[in-house]
Amino acid sequence: MATRRALPLRYYGDPVLRKKADPAPAVTAEVKDLALAMFETMYREKGVGLAAPQVGVSTRVFVVDVEDEGVRVKRAFVNPVITSREGTVIGEEGCLSIPGFREDVKRAASIVVEATDEEGTRFSLPAEGIVARAIQHEIDHLDGILFIDRLSPIRRKLLEARLKRFRAPEPSVPSVREGSSRPSL
């Protein structure tokens, strides 16, 4: 398999991150190439998930490579839809597009997602734990929602000053992750 070139990330403040992504009309060679390049970008940035808007493409595609309790999900999701949500759980999240910020976010404890993979095969995937969290986080990106939008109004207000000072890392300098050494979504 040929090595794909990693793509540049888009960061907090970039309008593409706030736009609802368009459905992919079909799984084409371009969509497959995008997914493969997104995997390369995600690995370069040490993340576990990455949505197309995070690399400047407003298309409903994301990739994950995440493991929880022995269950590993490594695949692309094209035009994903969550068909079932159950329970709630609070857990820490970070985001490759907002490096240095980690916060507790409430999400569904378990979900079922339907999508098409990069080969054009439809699938349905039940998920829980970090796998469910990653999928929900990436689908939010496709809807123009950032994890900080899921915080309480009081917590967002407290973060507002830090967010106003946020500056994207320079492209020639590796991005620095403050706080946790855990991967971001």
Side-chain angles (χ1 to χ4, degrees):
M1 175 167 88
T3 302
R4 299 290 188 261
R5 187 175 63 89
L7 303 167
L9 279 179
R10 299 294 181 96
Y11 294 97
Y12 179 78
D14 190 313
V16 73
L17 296 174
R18 293 303 193 169
K19 182 177 185 267
K20 186 169 182 159
D22 298 322
V27 178
T28 61
E30 291 81 16
V31 169
K32 184 175 182 174
D33 285 345
L34 172 64
L36 293 172
M38 287 171 59
F39 273 113
E40 290 298 321
T41 305
M42 180 183 70
Y43 295 140
R44 177 194 70 202
E45 297 294 326
K46 297 177 177 49
V48 297
L50 185 68
Q54 291 180 275
V55 293
V57 180
S58 189
T59 302
R60 297 189 74 77
V61 176
F62 73 84
V63 298
V64 297
D65 187 351
V66 62
E67 185 173 350
D68 188 30
E69 296 188 21
V71 175
R72 182 177 184 201
V73 175
K74 177 186 175 185
R75 72 184 328 164
F77 293 70
V78 179
N79 298 327
V81 175
I82 295 175
T83 60
S84 173
R85 298 175 196 264
E86 290 187 19
T88 58
V89 64
I90 296 174
E92 187 180 69
E93 291 184 24
C95 182
L96 295 174
S97 291
I98 317 174
F101 288 80
R102 299 191 76 81
E103 291 291 329
D104 286 339
V105 178
K106 185 175 10 179
R107 299 274 186 192
S110 65
I111 62 168
V112 176
V113 62
E114 292 181 1
T116 302
D117 68 17
E118 70 275 21
E119 300 298 329
T121 304
R122 290 284 303 159
F123 66 91
S124 179
L125 178 74
E128 54 188 32
I130 189 68
V131 176
R133 179 169 297 281
I135 290 168
Q136 291 171 87
H137 180 105
E138 300 312 331
I139 289 176
D140 272 359
H141 273 299
L142 302 181
D143 291 331
I145 299 168
L146 301 175
F147 84 99
I148 56 175
D149 299 334
R150 300 261 179 218
L151 303 177
S152 72
I154 292 171
R155 188 65 193 142
R156 282 210 58 198
K157 187 73 173 164
L158 291 171
L159 286 176
E160 210 169 80
R162 279 185 65 207
L163 287 168
K164 284 181 181 176
R165 289 190 314 267
F166 176 79
R167 296 287 179 260
E170 292 294 323
S172 60
V173 177
S175 58
V176 176
R177 307 282 187 267
E178 295 175 15
S180 178
S181 63
R182 288 180 282 180
S184 294
L185 302 167

